[in-house]
Amino acid sequence: MRSKAWARLLFVPAMAAALTAMPSQAFAGGGIGGGGTHEGSASGSSQDGVIRAQTKVTTTVNGGGSHSAKTGTLTPSNSTWTPPACWYEPSFSPKEIESTVKAFRSIDGLPFFGGIGQAVGDMLDGYYKDGDPYKDYNLDQQGKGMFWAAVKNPNRKDDPEANACNKLPFWVPNGTTPPEPLAVSPKVLAEYAYDELPIPETKVEMAPAGTSTVNLPTWIWLNKADFHEVSVTASLPGTGLSATTTAKPVSLHIDPGTSDAETFPASGDCTFTGGSIGEPYAKGKANQSPPCGVRYLRSTGANGSYALKATVTWQISWTSTTEPGGPLPEGTFGATQNVTVREIQSVNR
């Protein structure tokens, strides 16, 4: 019986050459159902010779979503954490693995690659057919399990970490959780949903709008209709695995864009009160200190402006029907707005 290490040593460069020759080939159908009507979804990497699949995870935004026309993606406050760049999920039935090997052999019909397809096919047969570690592609187990394959997070496919899932497809019986840290799970789905949260753009309302005045407060608040809880459910069809990730806005940080300014409160951190951040300006409050706002102490000049940055912090949690869930790292999303400040000492509004 050939050595697994030896086979892998030969397999990677040969596989890489084969995949370079046919970069758009779909090698075998995916499908939780084990070879039904799914189109071929396998893919390969010419860099590391790994057979990968396209993820079948689906996401749904719960409720009506944000009223804001523009949305963005959260930046985790914890700089050492990111949603997973790759994971393993059930992808191929035994029949589909058999088809994959046959597809590799077809490369021999391409110019300059005669014999490579046969070599790669032989190596794959050694792994999936000849008993090291599988025999006859596990065809006698058709319908009793799936080969789990590496997939890349579509949002992070260019991250170097996306290549960390570099195992060949491996067998997992139905109803079994594989002993693989990167195997798809409710928590992995929850972390993937983190990337899918449609966070509304952080455009604050201001009074006065357009032009502020030196030494007079500018009131700042958020549109209550846009800033509410947002949640996304990620599911893997046919497995019963799903998780819901929820983002709740908790605070707004104001950076005036200049040191010649004072913020309200002094920290620049405005918290949610009564379902909203800040308070809309009302007539007669021009000289009052706003619960959320800024006072500029110097004008911007005739042609200048300050880049006021407003950043909302979102508290993230997840739940599922099979695991207790819990918190995920908070995330932030912000934007800048140009503010012009004029130099007069009093104004009626």
Side-chain angles (χ1 to χ4, degrees):
M1 183 176 291
R2 71 191 70 185
S3 164
K4 294 181 183 179
W6 175 84
R8 180 69 176 172
L9 183 64
L10 292 179
F11 176 82
V12 172
M15 174 79 87
L19 292 172
T20 302
M22 46 190 226
S24 62
Q25 176 71 45
F27 301 118
I32 301 300
T37 59
H38 291 82
E39 296 294 328
S41 64
S43 61
S45 167
S46 60
Q47 295 178 344
D48 57 13
V50 177
I51 300 174
R52 292 189 172 90
Q54 303 298 320
T55 184
K56 298 180 183 66
V57 174
T58 61
T59 57
T60 304
V61 177
N62 303 310
S66 170
H67 293 271
S68 175
K70 296 181 180 180
T71 60
T73 302
L74 288 173
T75 298
S77 298
N78 181 348
S79 61
T80 65
W81 182 90
T82 61
C86 69
W87 57 83
Y88 297 95
E89 66 182 56
S91 302
F92 305 113
S93 71
K95 290 181 179 179
E96 290 164 341
I97 286 293
E98 182 183 30
S99 297
T100 298
V101 177
K102 292 180 179 179
F104 271 113
R105 295 186 188 281
S106 68
I107 194 176
D108 286 342
L110 297 176
F112 310 113
F113 285 92
I116 290 182
Q118 184 68 33
V120 174
D122 287 346
M123 292 174 193
L124 286 170
D125 272 345
Y127 193 80
Y128 290 109
K129 180 183 178 183
D130 297 339
D132 188 14
Y134 303 107
K135 185 174 179 60
D136 293 331
Y137 315 105
N138 274 13
L139 289 172
D140 62 337
Q141 299 297 308
Q142 181 76 19
K144 299 179 181 180
M146 295 288 288
F147 284 96
W148 287 42
V151 300
K152 293 185 178 183
N153 182 339
N155 300 310
R156 300 179 180 272
K157 60 185 178 180
D158 296 324
D159 290 2
E161 294 80 5
N163 294 319
C165 300
N166 56 12
K167 293 182 178 180
L168 288 172
F170 54 90
W171 179 256
V172 180
N174 289 337
T176 302
T177 300
E180 164 56 53
L182 293 176
V184 69
S185 65
K187 187 174 183 182
V188 168
L189 293 175
E191 292 173 341
Y192 172 57
Y194 190 110
D195 260 348
E196 296 288 314
L197 290 164
I199 303 301
E201 67 172 346
T202 311
K203 183 176 182 180
V204 296
E205 302 291 333
M206 303 176 66
T211 302
S212 296
T213 302
V214 169
N215 292 326
L216 288 180
T218 296
W219 290 58
I220 294 175
W221 68 96
L222 291 173
N223 187 333
K224 187 175 181 179
D226 286 348
F227 285 84
H228 48 72
E229 287 190 0
V230 177
S231 67
V232 167
T233 297
S235 306
L236 185 57
T239 66
L241 294 177
S242 69
T244 297
T245 299
T246 300
K248 178 182 179 181
V250 292
S251 65
L252 168 71
H253 180 75
I254 299 296
D255 181 346
T258 175
S259 59
D260 293 316
E262 299 173 345
T263 56
F264 303 94
S267 64
D269 296 321
C270 307
T271 57
F272 269 77
T273 303
S276 63
I277 283 183
E279 178 184 325
Y281 172 77
K283 187 176 181 179
K285 294 184 176 181
N287 294 312
Q288 295 182 22
S289 296
C292 185
V294 61
R295 190 201 317 270
Y296 286 101
L297 307 178
R298 187 186 296 269
S299 70
T300 52
N303 300 312
S305 62
Y306 295 129
L308 180 145
K309 185 173 183 179
T311 303
V312 173
T313 294
W314 297 76
Q315 188 178 76
I316 316 298
S317 62
W318 69 279
T319 60
S320 79
T321 57
T322 57
E323 294 187 18
L328 291 173
E330 289 184 341
T332 60
F333 185 54
T336 58
Q337 298 170 229
N338 292 328
V339 179
T340 302
V341 182
R342 59 182 176 176
E343 181 73 59
I344 60 174
Q345 296 302 313
S346 62
V347 64
N348 295 320
R349 53 176 176 166

